[in-house]
Amino acid sequence: GQQLNQSPQSMFIQEGEDVSMNCTSSSIFNTWLWYKQDPGEGPVLLIALYKAGELTSNGRLTAQFGITRKDSFLNISASIPSDVGIYFCAGQTSGTYKYIFGTGTRLKVLA
Amino acid sequence: DTAVSQTPKYLVTQMGNDKSIKCEQNLGHDTMYWYKQDSKKFLKIMFSYNNKELIINETVPNRFSPKSPDKAHLNLHINSLELGDSAVYFCASSQAGASYEQYFGPGTRLTVT
């Protein structure tokens, strides 16, 4: 099945650093969702985006809906140890019920 | 108050057995999903129901059969379990036509021995 490409695949960062990751698609989406998954848990919705160019924040997290509608970006500012986990993007095309998920970015924070 | 719940959390069984996983959501959503997450953590959609009607049926062996008795419940029955069925299965729900936000359950880790 189709999957979105997420970059980077994994990253180690120092506590306090800012983190950027992105998600790219060959298809246009009308909705982008960003999730975080902790070990042994289900993905938790962080941010939802609905319009091209939209910039939305949730605490230290900021996500953007790319202008081309084929990509999205997630930034985490001043990372802390509990930011560790796998971050997934998901895209949805208008008129469908199907969400396509990214391959995930594994974040590890060094205290 | 749990929004999307699944039972059981863990399921260990032998090849050839039949098992079921149950899912319930109390969000009032009209669309529910089953996803499979493999060992590489890739999330793949399997099925989706909208108002008890099957709307997404990906390339999944017909040993897998979803059933939605009502909008708030979506169960997954698996016949003749195989080793390759070992994975984490997630239920999710959303409200189409509204926010499109999709919420996941805690997952069921299925291990087939």
Side-chain angles (χ1 to χ4, degrees):
Chain A
Q2 182 187 359
Q3 279 179 307
L4 307 179
N5 291 320
Q6 280 188 246
S7 179
Q9 184 177 358
S10 63
M11 56 195 311
F12 281 89
I13 59 168
Q14 292 284 344
E15 183 177 357
E17 287 184 347
D18 296 344
V19 176
S20 292
M21 60 189 79
N22 65 67
C23 189
T24 58
S25 167
S26 57
S27 306
I28 289 175
F29 290 119
N30 296 93
T31 301
W32 283 97
L33 305 177
W34 281 94
Y35 291 87
K36 177 179 183 250
Q37 185 177 22
D38 292 328
E41 306 288 333
V44 174
L45 182 63
L46 300 173
I47 293 178
L49 302 160
Y50 301 105
K51 290 171 54 176
E54 178 183 355
L55 195 68
T56 297
S57 293
N58 178 5
R60 294 178 296 105
L61 278 61
T62 301
Q64 184 163 25
F65 194 135
I67 294 292
T68 66
R69 294 166 62 195
K70 292 184 177 181
D71 53 12
S72 182
F73 310 89
L74 178 69
N75 294 314
I76 305 172
S77 62
S79 58
I80 58 178
S82 62
D83 290 334
V84 165
I86 304 177
Y87 291 80
F88 291 101
C89 62
Q92 186 196 38
T93 303
S94 178
T96 75
Y97 296 89
K98 189 174 179 180
Y99 297 80
I100 308 297
F101 276 78
T103 48
T105 292
R106 289 141 184 81
L107 180 63
K108 300 181 184 180
V109 179
L110 304 173
Chain B
D1 205 14
T2 304
V4 182
S5 58
Q6 293 178 232
T7 55
K9 175 76 171 172
Y10 300 97
L11 187 52
V12 181
T13 188
Q14 292 184 326
M15 285 174 54
N17 285 348
D18 303 339
K19 290 293 179 185
S20 292
I21 307 172
K22 295 187 176 183
C23 178
E24 176 181 1
Q25 54 95 3
N26 63 7
L27 296 167
H29 289 167
D30 59 6
T31 307
M32 296 183 72
Y33 305 79
W34 278 112
Y35 287 86
K36 180 180 180 180
Q37 186 173 49
D38 60 23
S39 58
K40 294 183 178 179
K41 304 299 184 184
F42 295 151
L43 276 162
K44 293 185 179 178
I45 191 166
M46 301 172 68
F47 302 103
S48 178
Y49 272 75
N50 176 258
N51 283 318
K52 302 193 297 176
E53 179 184 348
L54 182 65
I55 55 171
I56 296 175
N57 186 351
E58 293 293 286
T59 308
V60 177
N62 56 17
R63 297 181 295 102
F64 290 78
S65 54
K67 281 190 173 53
S68 180
D70 56 57
K71 281 187 357 176
H73 296 85
L74 179 61
N75 304 322
L76 183 65
H77 188 76
I78 315 170
N79 289 326
S80 304
L81 279 155
E82 300 178 357
L83 292 177
D85 297 332
S86 295
V88 181
Y89 293 85
F90 287 102
C91 177
S93 74
S94 69
Q95 182 63 31
S99 70
Y100 294 97
E101 294 176 0
Q102 184 181 63
Y103 294 91
F104 281 79
T108 296
R109 179 174 292 278
L110 172 65
T111 303
V112 183
T113 62

